[in-house]
Amino acid sequence: MIRVLLIDDEPLARLIIREYLDSFAQVEILQECNDGFEGVKAIQQHQPDLIFLDIQMPKINGFEMLELIDQPPAVIFTTAFDEFAIRAFETHAVDYLLKPFSKERFSKALQKWIDQSGGGTRQAATSEILEEAALSPLQRERVVIRNAGKIKIIPIQEIRWIEAADDYVKLHTRDGAFLKNKTMGYFEKSLPADQFVRVHRSNMVQVKEITRLEPYEKETWLAILRSGEKVPVSKTGYAKLKVVLGL
Amino acid sequence: MVGSLRYYFPEKNRYYYLLGWSILLAVVWAVYLKWALLKTMDNMPGYGDFVLRSITIRFCIGLLVTGSVALASLLYYILQDQKDLQKRNSESDKMTRDAELFKLRQQLQPHFLFNSLNSINALIGSRPEQARHMVQQLSDFLRTVLKREENQWVSLGEELQSLQLYLDIEKVRFGHRLDASITCEESTPQMKIPAMILQPLVENAIKFGLYDTTEAIQIPIQAYTEKSLLVVKVQNPYDPSTHVPKTGTGFGLSSVRRRLYLLFARNDLLETSTDQQIFTASVKIPQPS
């Protein structure tokens, strides 16, 4: 039995997939989800083998939803028109369906997945896609995190500074600190370089939050933020800050 | 010399100017030669007389030489000018083409179009009557969009009709989640409005309303008059905690503002405001007298 989830905010878009799946007796539809929040919950609850996932959805898009799941299932993406997503799919050879798709096209994609039976290669492709999706214009403006079972969307303007914490990074905001399972390198790549500077191996800081820089130990500084927080700055970090601040 | 005079002289005068310079140079040349020859050949009897009588010939030769040099450089610069002009023309042509293509893409709204087609595809199986109805609505809407021109004025009634088509299609797509209503004061449907100026406002409202919340949303559209201006107000819910409001900087709204400025030379005709969880955009249209 192949256990699948349909995640799309348009009821008719789910209806057509349900109809196409009718002729696959070995497929069981566990649930239909209206948005990414329901999607996260349903994936955790059911642990499906495969999900059909729309990209443009309310609040959080398909990519952001996948970011919130530790072990994402295999995905067949469906989208109507999103130049960015399509480019990402093509560079990473991930199968996707362009709406409206025919039954033949749909069956081909599903059959291909069944033949490969969701091997490890697809998992790798999914994480690569997510890395790339983080560079899309929309996702560069916010970070989606899971906190105590709740999903929180943080506009990047509200991030004061970022700190490395083992396999996670800690995002410090007005409402407290939140963990995200990404690396510093990832944030360095996806956040706008003129707003966030990697001032230390384990720190990044939002430039407009800095009120002053104080010398600390030998060849290190402390960036004092408007909130009063103190962030260590290394020698190379200091040089980078000087460039961004135009000193 | 020729290079600089391109900018200072009108087309025709530049030839006289060049001729003048050539004559002046030829005169200087002839005078200088006379002086030099007389100085060097001072002691030859009758030579001074010969120099004086042949001065015209030397002047003519001088004029011929300076004149042809001037003409050659003039031709060179004209050619250069033409090349530049051609290059600029082809560049601006390309820019116009790109802009038109972009506008066409905007007008057709590929995301809306393909999602609508996907909905129709789904309806064909289960509710063929409704599928037919939606094909009709979509065609009517596309026809209106393609027919409209930027500088055209239409009555508010017509404009609201095409908006209604758009909203009906979106309602099929999003089902119960979208509730949009159009209300207008009795006198307003006859009033005039620049074509397609409301469309971006409503698209914006739907985009933010539907993609910024997960609940069912209401989008009221109201038309009324205020101090002889036609006012159309569009509202949508949004989530202030996750959305950093960029009031009026969205692509749709900024293009509306730009159009209003081009039409009326006023910047105060599009107003946006946020009130807790409601975003309001209202556009005021001065009526042609």
Side-chain angles (χ1 to χ4, degrees), chain A residues 163-170 179 184 202:
Chain A
E163 182 185 17
D166 297 327
D167 294 342
Y168 291 82
V169 294
K170 215 186 235 180
L179 289 174
M184 289 298 281
S202 49

Side-chain angles (χ1 to χ4, degrees), chain B residues 200-201 204 248-258 270 272 279 281:
Chain B
L201 294 186
N204 201 60
T249 53
F251 178 80
L253 293 186
S254 64
S255 80
V256 170
R257 182 159 306 189
R258 173 112 190 101
L270 175 66
T272 55
F279 178 84

Side-chain angles (χ1 to χ4, degrees), chain B residues 43-103:
Chain B
N43 42 8
M44 273 171 80
Y47 187 75
D49 198 32
F50 166 73
V51 166
L52 279 181
R53 264 192 287 164
S54 61
I55 194 165
T56 345
I57 296 169
R58 276 194 306 281
F59 168 75
C60 287
I61 292 172
L63 185 61
L64 206 64
V65 172
T66 50
S68 15
V69 169
L71 206 64
S73 56
L74 185 70
L75 277 175
Y76 172 78
Y77 277 108
I78 289 176
L79 264 174
Q80 209 67 12
D81 262 2
Q82 247 162 4
K83 258 190 216 158
D84 279 357
L85 189 73
Q86 247 170 13
K87 208 173 130 199
R88 274 206 304 278
N89 276 349
S90 72
E91 264 168 25
S92 79
D93 274 0
K94 192 175 172 297
M95 270 163 70
T96 325
R97 267 202 310 276
D98 287 352
E100 269 171 16
L101 203 64
F102 181 74
K103 209 177 84 190

Side-chain angles (χ1 to χ4, degrees), chain B residues 199-269:
Chain B
Q199 184 74 28
L201 294 186
V202 175
E203 277 168 26
N204 201 60
I206 288 191
K207 194 173 131 207
F208 284 103
L210 283 174
Y211 289 105
D212 210 32
T213 62
T214 52
E215 297 92 48
I217 63 155
Q218 279 192 327
I219 296 186
I221 300 166
Q222 292 156 285
Y224 52 92
T225 53
E226 194 182 275
K227 295 179 203 149
S228 83
L229 293 175
L230 169 63
V231 184
V232 183
K233 191 161 92 177
V234 183
Q235 291 180 306
N236 64 272
Y238 79 108
D239 185 343
S241 70
T242 60
H243 189 73
V244 187
K246 291 192 251 164
T247 314
T249 53
F251 178 80
L253 293 186
S254 64
S255 80
V256 170
R257 182 159 306 189
R258 173 112 190 101
R259 267 191 76 195
L260 288 169
Y261 179 75
L262 290 176
L263 282 165
F264 305 107
R266 282 176 62 175
N267 262 329
D268 59 338
L269 294 174

Side-chain angles (χ1 to χ4, degrees), chain A residues 10 12 20 56 58-59 81 155, chain B residues 111 122 173 211-213 239 244:
Chain A
E10 296 186 29
L12 290 170
Y20 285 166
Q56 202 178 25
K59 295 293 247 184
F81 183 83
Chain B
H111 198 263
R173 277 180 60 198
Y211 289 105
D212 210 32
T213 62
D239 185 343
V244 187

Side-chain angles (χ1 to χ4, degrees), chain A residues 9-13 15-16 19-20 35 37 56-59 80-81 83 99-101 141 153 155 157-158, chain B residues 110-111 114-115 117-119 121-123 125-127 172-174 177 210-214 239 242 244 246:
Chain A
D9 60 319
E10 296 186 29
L12 290 170
L15 181 73
I16 189 77
E19 198 183 304
Y20 285 166
D35 53 60
F37 297 145
Q56 202 178 25
M57 289 191 295
K59 295 293 247 184
F81 183 83
E83 281 165 291
K99 297 173 183 175
F101 40 84
E141 288 178 10
I153 299 163
Q157 283 80 6
E158 290 183 9
Chain B
H111 198 263
F114 289 123
N115 271 315
L117 288 171
N118 195 46
S119 300
N121 196 24
L123 286 172
S126 51
R127 284 169 269 165
V172 176
R173 277 180 60 198
F174 293 102
R177 274 198 72 208
L210 283 174
Y211 289 105
D212 210 32
T213 62
T214 52
D239 185 343
T242 60
V244 187
K246 291 192 251 164

Side-chain angles (χ1 to χ4, degrees), chain B residues 32-52:
Chain B
Y32 168 75
L33 264 190
K34 183 189 149 214
W35 172 80
L37 286 173
L38 287 181
K39 187 109 182 161
T40 48
M41 307 287 191
D42 211 8
N43 42 8
M44 273 171 80
Y47 187 75
D49 198 32
F50 166 73
V51 166
L52 279 181

Side-chain angles (χ1 to χ4, degrees), chain A residues 78-204:
Chain A
T78 62
T79 185
F81 183 83
D82 182 337
E83 281 165 291
F84 189 88
I86 291 166
R87 216 182 320 134
F89 296 147
E90 272 167 1
T91 37
H92 299 289
V94 166
D95 214 1
Y96 62 97
L97 297 167
L98 280 181
K99 297 173 183 175
F101 40 84
S102 67
K103 185 163 185 198
E104 288 72 35
R105 178 69 189 81
F106 177 86
S107 307
K108 210 174 112 191
L110 183 57
Q111 196 57 55
K112 197 169 135 200
W113 180 80
I114 293 171
D115 293 343
Q116 295 173 343
S117 68
T121 49
R122 292 196 64 95
Q123 289 278 341
T126 305
S127 68
E128 277 168 29
I129 283 266
L130 293 184
E131 290 274 317
E132 187 160 337
L135 302 174
S136 79
L138 175 71
Q139 281 176 243
R140 285 175 68 116
E141 288 178 10
R142 61 192 198 194
V143 179
V144 180
I145 53 129
R146 226 169 67 206
N147 182 42
K150 275 200 175 162
I151 290 163
K152 189 169 166 62
I153 299 163
I154 307 173
I156 60 165
Q157 283 80 6
E158 290 183 9
I159 301 173
R160 289 172 177 159
W161 64 291
I162 303 172
E163 182 185 17
D166 297 327
D167 294 342
Y168 291 82
V169 294
K170 215 186 235 180
L171 309 171
H172 293 266
T173 72
R174 194 184 50 203
D175 306 331
F178 300 98
L179 289 174
K180 174 89 181 167
N181 55 345
K182 291 281 177 201
T183 62
M184 289 298 281
Y186 167 89
F187 279 106
E188 206 179 357
K189 210 164 64 179
S190 63
L191 291 174
D194 55 338
Q195 290 173 46
F196 287 87
V197 176
R198 177 109 180 237
V199 294
H200 192 274
R201 198 166 44 86
S202 49
N203 295 320
M204 256 178 110

